[in-house]
Amino acid sequence: MSAVTANTAPEALERYRAAFEARFTGAHALAERRRAALDQFLALGFPTPRDEDWKYTNLRRLETRSFAPALGLGLISAPSPEWLVGSRIVLLDGRWSAALSAPSAHPPGVTVLSLGQWAEREPDEVAALLAQHEAARTSAFDSLNLALFEDGVVVQLADGAQTDAPIYVVHQWGPQAQGAMSHPRILVRAGRNSRCTLIEQYLGPADAEYFTNAATYLDLQEGAHVEHYRLQQESARSFHIGAATARLAADSCYAMHDVALGASLGRTNVSALLQGSGARVALHGLIAPCGSQHLDAHTRIDHIAPQTSSTEDYRGVAEGRGRGVFNGKVIVRPGAQKTDARQSSRNLLLSPTAEFDSKPELEIYANDVKCGHGAVTGQLDAAALFYLRSRGVSEREARMLLIRAFAESVLTAIEHPPLKSYLERVLEPRFSLIESHP
């Protein structure tokens, strides 16, 4: 038994075992893979601050809660944002809702289907697909997701297929979210020279306490390009653990935009494996904890092939007693010559009780590379505040202008103008409520 499991209360693990036994049976390959994933989760237990990757995030509150599988009792309506142009797929309490979804006609070579329905019809085929991600499953929560997922979305792009309209997946909790848990799973398979935009949005009823444990896996073949937006706007009392794992073949490109605003305790793990020469990754993140929120972003970029590149730009804005965490790790493997990797973490503390922990890391095992990282945490520029005040701008408005300018570098990377406008409107009232602190 590992040291981690020894620190995890047996009754906490037993609750997840019981949820599995009550819902998943069978002798097919998928059931066996689920069982193996559950056994792995039970062996690992919940991570603790003694684990280096969880040094700044204590999961004790999550561990002591008791969550049951979501019932999916329905929702009167689903969001239909004005920035939506393409398909809308609604996962209500973790399950595909045909009544609330609005899938549009896709161009030739683009297929979007329910993972749950596919698993019911062809469990062995789904098991074979999931087996391809076995090596990338390193977290206990990844194993828990595989063991307990009810449904999800599969996006398949044939070679050369391209869709200009985004595929919008909304993870929507219904009115019965209190005390429930969900483990949605998204799979994207992008063929050679294909292109698509995926937007994930996580929403839930205010003041409900629930647990979302989501996983997204993306396979990019040679020359593929995937733009991925992840908007975490869960209830302020909820728990959110999310993972996005991308594998890139030669000359492919993966761009990730991670915006974390919701949840009482939230964590996103982003992992990219650059397996082919010429592969490129760009990660942009905005973490904005306020009140007593704890929001954590962990990234891991693994340069395996030569002549690959990656850029990271994460910004944090912490207010009240909010705590933010950014841990970015870049690995350059032996033989990955001509790697170009840049990483930046900049954070604003807007109150004396706010906190931000930033930990950039580089592991380099090649000698012909260009790699750099930097991390800065501080307060608003007093000189800039004075300048704006001297021009007749109120202190509140001056602070808001500077905060917006600080976050703008992440927003300008968004290539979907209506979505960018939406986020600016969401952030404006949030930043305008920030009080002045000495």
Side-chain angles (χ1 to χ4, degrees):
M1 180 177 294
S2 70
V4 175
T5 305
N7 287 308
T8 302
E11 58 271 20
L13 299 178
E14 186 57 34
R15 289 194 291 266
Y16 293 98
R17 184 199 298 274
F20 177 88
E21 299 292 355
R23 304 178 76 82
F24 301 109
T25 59
H28 47 72
L30 179 57
E32 294 174 359
R33 192 157 296 281
R34 284 185 184 275
R35 170 69 67 178
L38 176 69
D39 290 341
Q40 185 175 31
F41 167 72
L42 296 176
L44 292 171
F46 284 90
T48 76
R50 293 196 303 171
D51 300 305
E52 188 62 29
D53 284 346
W54 295 85
K55 179 178 179 180
Y56 302 111
T57 298
N58 193 323
L59 297 173
R60 185 63 180 169
R61 285 193 297 126
L62 173 60
E63 180 185 334
T64 58
R65 298 298 197 275
S66 179
F67 295 104
L71 298 177
L73 295 180
L75 184 71
I76 295 175
S77 62
S80 183
E82 68 280 4
W83 45 264
L84 175 61
V85 179
S87 295
R88 181 186 70 200
I89 306 301
V90 177
L91 295 181
L92 176 59
D93 299 343
R95 298 180 181 86
W96 183 304
S97 172
L100 300 178
S101 300
S104 63
H106 297 290
V110 179
T111 304
V112 181
L113 52 88
S114 162
L115 177 60
Q117 293 179 4
W118 187 21
E120 289 180 2
R121 296 193 305 266
E122 302 287 346
D124 292 341
E125 188 173 335
V126 171
L129 174 61
L130 297 178
Q132 298 175 15
H133 305 127
E134 192 73 26
R137 197 177 80 241
T138 57
S139 164
F141 290 102
D142 291 341
S143 297
L144 183 62
N145 175 278
L146 177 54
L148 295 181
F149 81 87
E150 297 274 3
D151 207 344
V153 179
V154 180
V155 179
Q156 300 188 87
L157 305 174
D159 292 350
Q162 299 192 11
T163 173
D164 295 327
I167 299 168
Y168 170 51
V169 179
V170 55
H171 303 261
Q172 175 71 58
W173 280 95
Q176 305 297 323
Q178 179 64 33
M181 64 177 173
S182 168
H183 306 269
R185 196 172 187 89
I186 310 296
L187 304 176
V188 178
R189 306 170 70 187
R192 291 164 56 93
N193 300 314
S194 62
R195 185 184 185 95
C196 78
T197 297
L198 172 68
I199 302 175
E200 291 188 78
Q201 187 176 25
Y202 294 82
L203 301 169
D207 298 325
E209 185 178 82
Y210 54 84
F211 173 33
T212 300
N213 176 35
T216 302
Y217 288 89
L218 307 101
D219 287 316
L220 283 69
Q221 297 302 309
E222 184 175 342
H225 187 129
V226 175
E227 196 88 12
H228 185 194
Y229 298 90
R230 196 177 193 280
L231 316 180
Q232 194 272 98
Q233 298 167 274
E234 302 264 32
S235 156
R237 293 183 57 211
S238 68
F239 298 87
H240 180 98
I241 305 293
T245 302
R247 298 187 302 188
L248 288 81
D251 298 318
S252 61
C253 179
Y254 173 63
M256 166 73 157
H257 307 263
D258 181 22
V259 179
L261 304 177
S264 171
L265 188 156
R267 160 100 169 208
T268 305
N269 297 301
V270 182
S271 178
L273 293 82
L274 290 81
Q275 300 175 326
S277 177
R280 293 167 292 142
V281 165
L283 305 182
H284 307 274
L286 178 61
I287 311 166
C290 64
S292 59
Q293 285 182 298
H294 181 107
L295 300 179
D296 183 347
H298 263 60
T299 69
R300 179 186 175 97
I301 300 179
D302 200 339
H303 291 265
I304 300 172
Q307 298 181 322
T308 55
S309 64
S310 65
T311 59
E312 289 184 83
D313 184 9
Y314 268 75
R315 300 291 174 105
V317 180
E319 198 273 337
R321 291 182 294 113
R323 183 177 184 183
V325 178
F326 170 77
N327 189 164
K329 187 169 189 175
V330 175
I331 303 173
V332 181
R333 301 290 180 180
Q337 306 292 358
K338 305 295 183 182
T339 288
D340 189 344
R342 307 293 175 183
Q343 184 186 98
S344 174
S345 171
R346 301 183 183 184
N347 311 295
L348 275 179
L349 300 180
L350 301 176
S351 72
T353 52
E355 182 178 352
F356 215 102
D357 298 293
S358 191
K359 185 184 177 187
E361 298 179 70
L362 287 175
E363 287 187 16
I364 303 175
Y365 304 100
N367 56 19
D368 186 7
V369 301
K370 292 191 297 182
C371 298
H373 62 194
V376 178
T377 298
Q379 300 174 333
L380 289 174
D381 188 335
L385 273 174
F386 177 81
Y387 176 83
L388 290 172
R389 294 296 309 281
S390 68
R391 296 305 188 268
V393 180
S394 69
E395 182 173 357
R396 177 186 287 271
E397 184 67 18
R399 288 171 60 86
M400 189 175 72
L401 287 172
L402 292 177
I403 296 167
R404 287 184 58 185
F406 177 80
E408 189 67 19
S409 67
V410 173
L411 297 179
T412 54
I414 296 177
E415 297 186 356
H416 190 57
L419 177 57
K420 177 185 174 183
S421 298
Y422 165 76
L423 284 174
E424 289 175 339
R425 291 195 300 273
V426 168
L427 291 170
E428 183 171 356
R430 188 183 185 100
F431 291 156
S432 67
L433 293 176
I434 294 173
E435 298 290 343
S436 174
H437 295 279

